[in-house]
Amino acid sequence: MPDHAPSREETLAGFSRLFAWSGGGLLLVFLAFVLVDSLPLQLLSPSWQLRFTNRMVNTALLALLGFLLLHLGLFIEPSNGFLRAKLTIARQWAIVVVFAFLLLVPLQGFATWRVLSQAKGAQAMQRTVLDERVTRIRQAIEAATSPEDLQARFSRLQAPRPQLPPAALSLPLNELKRSLLEELQKTETRASGRISGPAPTDVWALGQGVARVTIASVGFAAAFAAGAQRPRASLTLLQQLIRQLEILRGRRPRSKRRTP
């Protein structure tokens, strides 16, 4: 006997369930990526905050596509009560997603500011340590009364301690001091050159990250707001926002024209 050919309704129902299950699967993949990348939790770490915002933005397309597939599944089979209930729950949770994406904007900016502040703080600390060490060595050189006294003063400094070569002990004190001070000045100049703040390329990359996350977060927030819906509400979150803006625009007093 010939196999039963599925009817048009059965075919549409199959596609509807396929889209719905695919959408739910993509939402789970999105949550898995975000949760796994967030572990271990380091909420106060700027590097963790930057990694979290980037992961949210980079995987948001999966969540948005899954959200759209849920809508498409119910559109194909509007009489499916199970899909309607699941979509209602997804629309309510989409409100949380909207605010989560909006919160990424200040989080990205705050994390970027902290990264730059820490880099500048580390630079200032290194420069302070260098200045203190150079000052102690210079004071030891200037206060020494003999090469042996200078050697003893160097031995009392914090490690790493400067060492006098044996040949230096036979030099006249003034010549020895002048030579050591000149070498100390050169060493300080070289060390200061190695102490630098954030590289311009790093600052540019951080600025690009802020712009990218800001634009993407606002875009994804608007996309999810177009489908987000509160319980027992007839309009989506985006429709409510547009209506409120239209009301505010309508309340603006119109400028009176002067009669000629």
Side-chain angles (χ1 to χ4, degrees), residues 175-186:
E175 182 181 348
L176 177 60
K177 285 185 176 182
R178 184 175 62 255
S179 175
L180 291 176
L181 289 175
E182 290 176 356
E183 184 63 28
L184 179 63
Q185 182 64 39
K186 295 178 182 178

Side-chain angles (χ1 to χ4, degrees), residues 2 23 45-46 50 53 71 136 140 143 166 169 189 203-204 217 247-248:
S45 170
L50 291 176
T53 55
H71 284 79
R136 291 193 183 99
L169 297 176
T189 302
V203 176
W204 176 253
S217 298
I247 293 175
L248 291 176

Side-chain angles (χ1 to χ4, degrees), residues 151 154-155 161-165:
Q151 184 76 293
F154 280 171
S155 65
R161 302 178 182 88
Q163 297 291 332
L164 287 178

Side-chain angles (χ1 to χ4, degrees), residues 116-131 192 194-198:
L116 294 176
S117 298
Q118 289 180 355
K120 291 181 180 179
Q123 177 190 10
M125 174 115 11
Q126 292 175 359
R127 197 169 295 280
T128 299
V129 172
L130 175 63
D131 292 342
S192 296
R194 290 193 296 266
I195 298 176
S196 60

Side-chain angles (χ1 to χ4, degrees), residues 22-84:
S22 299
L26 289 177
L27 291 175
L28 289 177
V29 171
F30 166 75
L31 290 176
F33 280 179
V34 172
L35 292 176
V36 171
D37 190 65
S38 301
L39 299 176
L41 293 177
Q42 297 174 337
L43 300 179
L44 300 180
S45 170
S47 59
W48 181 91
Q49 294 168 353
L50 291 176
R51 189 173 71 248
F52 177 78
T53 55
N54 288 325
R55 174 62 69 180
M56 283 282 291
V57 169
N58 292 337
T59 57
L61 278 176
L62 292 175
L64 182 58
L65 180 58
F67 193 46
L68 293 175
L69 287 176
L70 290 178
H71 284 79
L72 183 58
L74 185 62
F75 176 78
I76 294 175
E77 193 181 9
S79 60
N80 192 319
F82 176 77
L83 294 183
R84 184 175 298 277

Side-chain angles (χ1 to χ4, degrees), residues 205-241:
L206 288 173
Q208 285 181 317
V210 172
R212 184 177 68 89
V213 170
T214 299
I215 296 173
S217 298
V218 173
F220 284 121
F224 278 98
Q229 196 169 17
R230 294 183 298 174
R232 295 180 297 276
S234 59
L235 300 177
T236 64
L237 199 62
L238 185 61
Q239 289 173 332
Q240 291 179 352
L241 177 61

